[in-house]
Amino acid sequence: QVQLVESGGGSVQAGGSLRLSCAASGYTYSSNCMGWFRQAPGKEREGVASIYSGSGGTYYTYYADSVKGRFTISQDNTKNTVYLQMNSLKPEDTAMYYCAAVSMGRCGTRWLDAGRYNYWGQGTQVTVSS
């Protein structure tokens, strides 16, 4: 049974940083696409960042325009954990953040398409105050 567990959320002031973690059990991140999504109250879930680790240790990443240059996605295959480093946080980054993973394979062209992902965590809340 696949289980994804997020941690690292919290409350920070604008300009601050947080690092989210997503630990997987029953699943291997290596050679499979995974991503971070977020959902603010009253808004649709949106893709934030995704990552795919190819052969030879090459990592491919993709970011939403709204977080480029501020967020960094990474993964540690030895710990089966994916991270989202969030810097220069803004109030509009306030949301519940979810990690998600595909059952097998690449992200293809659907890096930030929630429909591409098969497994989801329970979410961790991020609140940024001005």
Side-chain angles (χ1 to χ4, degrees):
Q1 182 178 356
V2 175
Q3 192 171 22
L4 305 178
V5 179
E6 303 98 333
S7 62
S11 298
V12 295
Q13 291 192 324
S17 298
L18 284 172
R19 189 176 82 154
L20 306 183
S21 300
C22 178
S25 58
Y27 182 87
T28 301
Y29 285 133
S30 178
S31 299
N32 287 314
C33 174
M34 73 81 51
W36 284 96
F37 291 77
R38 66 186 181 186
Q39 188 167 18
K43 294 189 176 181
E44 292 187 357
R45 187 169 296 190
E46 63 170 341
V48 174
S50 57
I51 188 168
Y52 172 76
S53 61
S55 59
T58 302
Y59 291 89
Y60 303 89
T61 58
Y62 193 89
Y63 296 92
D65 288 343
S66 58
V67 306
K68 278 181 183 176
R70 300 189 298 122
F71 291 11
T72 303
I73 188 171
S74 62
Q75 68 184 63
D76 184 338
N77 290 335
T78 64
K79 297 181 179 179
N80 221 24
T81 299
V82 177
Y83 305 97
L84 185 68
Q85 177 67 44
M86 305 186 296
N87 298 329
S88 303
L89 282 161
K90 304 175 181 179
E92 51 264 44
D93 294 318
T94 295
M96 184 72 77
Y97 282 71
Y98 301 89
C99 68
V102 303
S103 58
M104 184 181 296
R106 300 170 180 262
C107 307
T109 60
R110 301 169 66 188
W111 290 89
L112 299 181
D113 180 355
R116 176 70 181 93
Y117 295 82
N118 307 101
Y119 307 114
W120 293 83
Q122 293 298 308
T124 185
Q125 178 67 38
V126 172
T127 302
V128 185
S129 58
S130 58

